[in-house]
Amino acid sequence: FDGSTDGFVMAGGEVEPAEDGGLRVAARMFDSAIRTPSGLALQGRRYTHVLVRVTRLAGGAQWDGALHYVTEAHPESAQFTTKPVQGDKPEINETVILVYDMAKPLAGGEDWTTSVIDRIRIDFDDAAGGEFLIHQVAITETPSAATPSDQAPPLRPRT
């Protein structure tokens, strides 16, 4: 996010490029959500992890952290969602990396890994007032389980 939103939009709030890099988002109402551009065309079987490096700038009343996604077969839905397996509600001025394992979501079963992903939605807070600085959103491959960890290639982000 170098001086632009890179196509990210926010429902129920504001999104703008931050002065020193990143994307500043502010929740102005209940259930605000940030969305990637449509047309990602990600092969879910290949890109199974979503990483979001984020700093909380202002406190909100209720943390959510949910990730939803869209495919050709379905729109955003609570039937296709998950929460981070690593990282949690950041405190004010704390930076965390939220890690979403889409091969094992809370809802949706194998849908992610058998689909082409069109768009992603992230809900940081479930109430107005929260403000965040998103440093990076990366959708990554996972090294093969057969590859020893000391020989595994690094995760390759696709932003």
Side-chain angles (χ1 to χ4, degrees):
F1 307 108
D2 190 16
S4 80
T5 64
D6 288 334
F8 280 68
V9 295
M10 184 152 188
E14 300 168 8
V15 59
E16 63 184 10
E19 288 182 25
D20 295 328
L23 195 62
R24 186 180 182 107
V25 297
R28 299 295 181 226
M29 56 186 358
F30 170 77
D31 204 23
S32 298
I34 183 98
R35 290 175 174 89
T36 67
S38 296
L40 294 177
L42 296 168
Q43 296 293 325
R45 71 179 171 275
R46 181 173 179 188
Y47 298 99
T48 58
H49 284 74
V50 178
L51 311 175
V52 181
R53 188 166 55 100
V54 62
T55 302
R56 180 182 281 278
L57 302 175
Q62 187 175 0
W63 171 253
D64 185 2
L67 182 146
H68 303 263
Y69 62 96
V70 174
T71 71
E72 184 177 286
H74 63 79
E76 293 172 5
S77 165
Q79 295 175 358
F80 304 100
T81 187
T82 198
K83 298 277 188 158
V85 295
Q86 181 179 327
D88 200 5
K89 174 185 176 183
E91 299 298 325
I92 294 175
N93 296 321
E94 179 184 23
T95 301
V96 298
I97 298 175
L98 304 172
V99 178
Y100 299 89
D101 182 353
M102 301 311 296
K104 299 173 189 164
L106 292 176
E110 295 179 352
D111 183 70
W112 177 283
T113 59
T114 59
S115 298
V116 175
I117 310 307
D118 181 66
R119 182 179 217 177
I120 293 173
R121 165 185 160 181
I122 302 167
D123 297 359
F124 291 119
D125 279 339
D126 249 352
E131 293 186 24
F132 298 87
L133 176 62
I134 302 172
H135 304 279
Q136 180 181 29
V137 176
I139 303 166
T140 67
E141 296 177 282
T142 305
S144 167
T147 305
S149 61
D150 61 338
Q151 296 177 9
L155 294 176
R156 295 185 296 261
R158 177 174 175 175
T159 308

